[in-house]
């Protein structure tokens, strides 16, 4: 980077001699360039380690930029920041020395410790994120809401508001749906109960909504005859789980950070079935 930057500035200066105005070199402040390289290296490392240790969950390893952005960070050492500000262009060896100075200040021990701590908890954190998406989508956090889960004709039914075309490009909605699909895939692997297929059909329909076709047609049912049937109406969606499917869902929540919530759900299931 330092050598390429040096050549770029030198050639830009020559262009200026020829009367060609070139103002872009101001963007190549040496401190910014060094930290940009560090950013990329750290990001690639985190991506690689995340892939190795997250087991396909959405959890991601991240490093606090304050551990390596020691020049630009507002809490950075004043002396090192001044050292880079005072740097004069035009000497490649001096530019290289700036890299050595930078590396001597980077908190490599802190970076290593941070990554190791995250690796230990990465998969469990990711599974908790999947469980959170289930709780949010199926309304399993509060049972006094307008749409609360209930039992009918052997089904345990969770309700939510009907999606519209805004959901087709809502990033947070897509993340939540992706998390639920990942969770359902894990449930299928563990129990043999397939919740994923019908939910995938439903998600595909939501993503296909447009301004002119803003809602899924009322009384559309995804996953007929399966462990999860999804019935769409004008103002709501019903997720209809068989008892075994809902128990598998509850077990997933219990194992991944929602023990108290799962116990409440089981108690309510038994009450509903007894009634």
């Amino acid at each position: 980077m330092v050598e390429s930057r040096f050549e770029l500035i030198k050639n830009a200066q020559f262009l200026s001699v020829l009367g060609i105005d070139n103002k872009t070199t101001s963007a190549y402040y040496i401190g910014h360039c060094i930290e940009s390289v560090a950013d990329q290296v750290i990001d690639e490392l985190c991506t690689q380690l995340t892939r190795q240790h997250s087991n396909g969950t959405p959890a991601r390893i991240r490093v606090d930029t304050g551990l390596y952005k020691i020049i630009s960070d507002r809490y950075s050492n004043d002396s090192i920041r001044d050292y880079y500000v005072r740097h004069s262009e035009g000497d490649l060896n001096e530019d290289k020395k700036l890299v050595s100075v930078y590396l001597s200040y980077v908190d490599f021990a802190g970076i290593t410790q941070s990554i190791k701590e995250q690796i230990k908890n990465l998969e469990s954190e990711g599974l908790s994120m999947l469980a959170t998406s289930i709780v949010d989508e199926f309304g399993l956090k509060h049972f006094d809401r307008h749409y609360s889960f209930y039992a009918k004709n052997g089904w345990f039914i969770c309700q939510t508001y009907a999606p519209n075309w805004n959901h087709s490009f809502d990033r947070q909605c897509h993340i939540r749906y992706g998390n639920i699909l990942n969770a359902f895939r894990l449930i299928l692997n563990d129990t043999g109960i397939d919740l994923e297929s019908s939910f995938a059909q439903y998600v595909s329909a939501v993503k296909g909504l447009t301004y002119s076709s803003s809602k899924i047609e009322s009384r559309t049912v995804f996953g007929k005859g399966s462990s999860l049937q999804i019935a769409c109406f004008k103002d709501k969606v019903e997720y209809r789980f068989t008892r075994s499917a809902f128990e598998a869902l509850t077990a997933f929540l219990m194992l991944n950070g929602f023990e108290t919530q799962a116990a409440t759900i089981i108690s309510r299931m038994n009450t509903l079935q007894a009634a």
Side-chain angles (χ1 to χ4, degrees), residues 65-248:
T65 58
L67 293 172
Y68 63 90
K69 286 201 169 181
I70 56 173
I71 304 169
S72 63
D73 189 88
R74 62 187 181 130
Y75 299 113
S76 63
N77 185 302
D78 288 340
S79 61
I80 188 173
R81 187 167 56 245
D82 291 343
Y83 183 79
Y84 282 85
V85 170
R86 291 197 307 270
H87 171 63
S88 58
E89 308 290 357
D91 190 320
L92 181 58
N93 289 327
E94 286 298 315
D95 288 354
K96 290 181 177 180
K97 286 180 183 178
L98 292 178
V99 177
S100 297
V101 172
Y102 168 78
L103 293 174
S104 70
Y105 277 87
V106 171
D107 187 0
F108 287 105
I111 292 171
T112 302
Q113 183 63 28
S114 172
I115 290 175
K116 285 183 176 180
E117 287 296 323
Q118 291 179 71
I119 284 175
K120 285 194 299 186
N121 303 312
L122 193 65
E123 184 176 357
S124 60
E125 178 190 335
L127 290 170
S128 179
M129 292 168 70
L130 300 186
T132 298
S133 291
I134 287 174
V135 168
D136 290 345
E137 178 64 23
F138 302 133
L140 298 174
K141 185 175 291 184
H142 306 292
F143 300 128
D144 56 353
R145 56 199 288 274
H146 177 65
Y147 285 144
S148 185
F149 93 84
Y150 66 99
K152 183 178 180 180
N153 299 329
W155 297 98
F156 287 89
I157 302 171
C158 298
Q159 304 173 92
T160 188
Y161 294 99
N164 57 41
W165 72 283
N166 290 310
H167 292 81
S168 66
F169 53 83
D170 185 325
R171 182 173 177 273
Q172 291 304 314
C173 179
H174 290 184
I175 290 173
R176 185 171 68 254
Y177 285 165
N179 287 348
I180 293 170
L181 286 170
N182 281 338
F184 283 174
R185 200 165 297 127
L186 293 172
I187 290 172
L188 175 61
N189 292 339
D190 289 341
T191 67
I193 297 174
D194 183 10
L195 308 177
E196 180 185 2
S197 297
S198 51
F199 192 74
Q201 295 171 25
Y202 170 71
V203 170
S204 179
V206 173
K207 290 182 177 180
L209 294 175
T210 63
Y211 181 76
S212 58
S213 180
S214 62
K215 286 195 174 184
I216 298 171
E217 187 176 347
S218 183
R219 301 198 176 277
T220 299
V221 178
F222 301 96
K224 288 182 179 179
S226 70
S227 297
L228 169 60
Q229 294 186 16
I230 304 172
C232 301
F233 300 95
K234 182 179 179 182
D235 298 317
K236 67 177 181 177
V237 173
E238 291 185 353
Y239 297 103
R240 300 169 178 172
F241 296 88
T242 62
R243 181 177 180 91
S244 59
F246 205 66
E247 286 176 341

Side-chain angles (χ1 to χ4, degrees), residues 143 149 254 258-269:
F143 300 128
F149 93 84
M254 182 170 287
F258 287 86
E259 297 91 342
T260 303
Q261 195 69 29
T264 304
I265 292 169
I266 291 171
S267 175
R268 184 174 172 83
M269 282 176 64

